[in-house]
Amino acid sequence: MVTYRDGEPVGWCGIGPREHIPRLVRSKLIRPVDDLPVWSIICVVVRGGHRRQGVTRHLLEGAVAYAGKRGAPAVEAYPVDPPGRMDTTMAFVGTRAMFEAVGFEVVGETDAVASRLPRLVMRRTPT
């Protein structure tokens, strides 16, 4: 999914049915919480110069709506909960606060880490 501002791509995220993302299907570290056929957001990127302007909120809302229109019963993400600013090399996984701001809730933990921080399982039901 890509979001634009004035015709310029400013943010994107990887989203799809978990069962269609081979790295998640094979992952021993990010295991399914239950049998619900969720869609997964695996990365979120906002271009420099466009951060802290609401792009992420718009992008995530759009991703959840897109998944919902295609029958997703829920959308998951696997962010971290950093005590301060996130290491930019791993920021693509997102933060707990970023996903909470658009209605995601923590439903589990993973054995995966990013920037030495444990990754959570967060979920939201499309409306």
Side-chain angles (χ1 to χ4, degrees):
M1 170 145 299
V2 178
T3 192
Y4 295 84
R5 178 179 283 154
D6 299 324
E8 178 184 10
V10 296
W12 51 92
C13 77
I15 184 172
R18 181 186 169 101
E19 65 189 30
H20 294 170
I21 303 171
R23 290 187 75 175
L24 281 178
V25 171
R26 292 189 312 265
S27 180
K28 304 289 186 218
L29 302 176
I30 302 176
R31 293 178 299 282
V33 172
D34 52 32
D35 292 333
L36 195 65
V38 299
W39 280 43
S40 296
I41 294 175
I42 57 171
C43 66
V44 180
V45 178
V46 175
R47 290 180 61 188
H50 299 276
R51 297 181 184 129
R52 299 195 175 279
Q53 299 175 26
V55 174
T56 301
R57 175 180 281 279
H58 179 75
L59 182 60
L60 293 177
E61 290 286 359
V64 170
Y66 174 83
K69 288 178 184 173
R70 282 151 187 80
V75 177
E76 280 186 353
Y78 314 101
V80 296
D81 190 9
R85 290 190 58 91
M86 178 78 177
D87 173 0
T88 57
T89 61
M90 292 304 295
F92 71 92
V93 302
T95 65
R96 177 182 182 158
M98 182 175 90
F99 284 97
E100 282 180 336
V102 293
F104 282 73
E105 297 178 352
V106 175
V107 295
E109 294 183 2
T110 75
D111 291 326
V113 295
S115 293
R116 293 182 234 171
L117 297 169
R119 292 179 69 180
L120 305 169
V121 179
M122 297 187 73
R123 189 179 278 181
R124 177 176 159 188
T125 302
T127 53

